[in-house]
């Protein structure tokens, strides 16, 4: 069982930056690939970024590539999402997710690959 708690959301002007954190419980954090997804009002949940369990591989949605960076600190059992050059269309509830991985380098972008989810943190970028 993995419990995930996100933090760091808030209101930021367009062009600004935020850093989201996701703290995970458990002693096997390094066995899990991690990801961020988001869901805007009235829209389906969408993939944002993912990182392999070892941290060597990352994968981004085209809409955030070059602006967002996912990273992890296995010693602190925490995954981060650095968001720069924020746009109004980035407004959403951001959820982190964890999925057990047998391979150290695998990165998954599908929600079905993640068994554990956090409650989410709101990010608002006014237009």
């Amino acid at each position: 069982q993995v419990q995930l708690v996100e933090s760091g959301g808030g209101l930021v002007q367009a062009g600004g930056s935020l850093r989201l954190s996701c703290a995970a419980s458990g002693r096997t954090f390094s066995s899990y690939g991690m990801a961020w997804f988001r869901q805007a009002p009235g829209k389906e949940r969408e993939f944002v970024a993912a990182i392999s369990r070892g941290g060597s591989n990352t994968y981004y949605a085209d809409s955030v590539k070059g602006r967002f960076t996912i990273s992890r600190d296995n010693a602190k059992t925490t995954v981060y999402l650095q968001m720069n050059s924020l746009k109004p269309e980035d407004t959403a509830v951001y959820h982190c997710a964890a999925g057990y991985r047998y391979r150290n380098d695998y990165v998954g972008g599908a929600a079905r690959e993640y068994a554990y989810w956090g409650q989410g943190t709101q990010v608002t970028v006014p237009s």
Side-chain angles (χ1 to χ4, degrees):
Q1 187 79 5
V2 177
Q3 292 184 326
L4 305 171
V5 180
E6 302 95 336
S7 62
L11 188 149
V12 61
Q13 296 304 311
S17 299
L18 279 176
R19 188 195 197 201
L20 305 184
S21 299
C22 173
S25 65
R27 294 174 293 177
T28 59
F29 179 73
S30 60
S31 296
Y32 289 82
M34 302 296 295
W36 289 92
F37 290 78
R38 66 188 182 187
Q39 188 165 19
K43 295 189 177 181
E44 304 233 336
R45 180 175 55 190
E46 66 171 343
F47 168 76
V48 176
I51 189 166
S52 58
R53 70 181 201 187
S56 60
N57 288 348
T58 57
Y59 175 48
Y60 296 92
D62 287 343
S63 59
V64 307
K65 202 173 294 182
R67 300 188 297 123
F68 291 10
T69 302
I70 188 171
S71 62
R72 65 188 295 161
D73 185 334
N74 284 351
K76 295 183 178 179
T77 65
T78 300
V79 64
Y80 305 97
L81 185 68
Q82 178 66 44
M83 305 187 295
N84 298 329
S85 302
L86 282 160
K87 304 175 181 179
E89 52 263 44
D90 295 318
T91 295
V93 176
Y94 283 71
H95 299 269
C96 71
Y100 188 84
R101 299 286 178 256
Y102 292 96
R103 284 173 47 186
N104 197 49
D105 60 347
Y106 181 78
V107 183
R112 65 181 181 274
E113 298 181 276
Y114 296 89
Y116 302 100
W117 295 78
Q119 292 297 310
T121 186
Q122 176 72 47
V123 172
T124 302
V125 188
S127 56

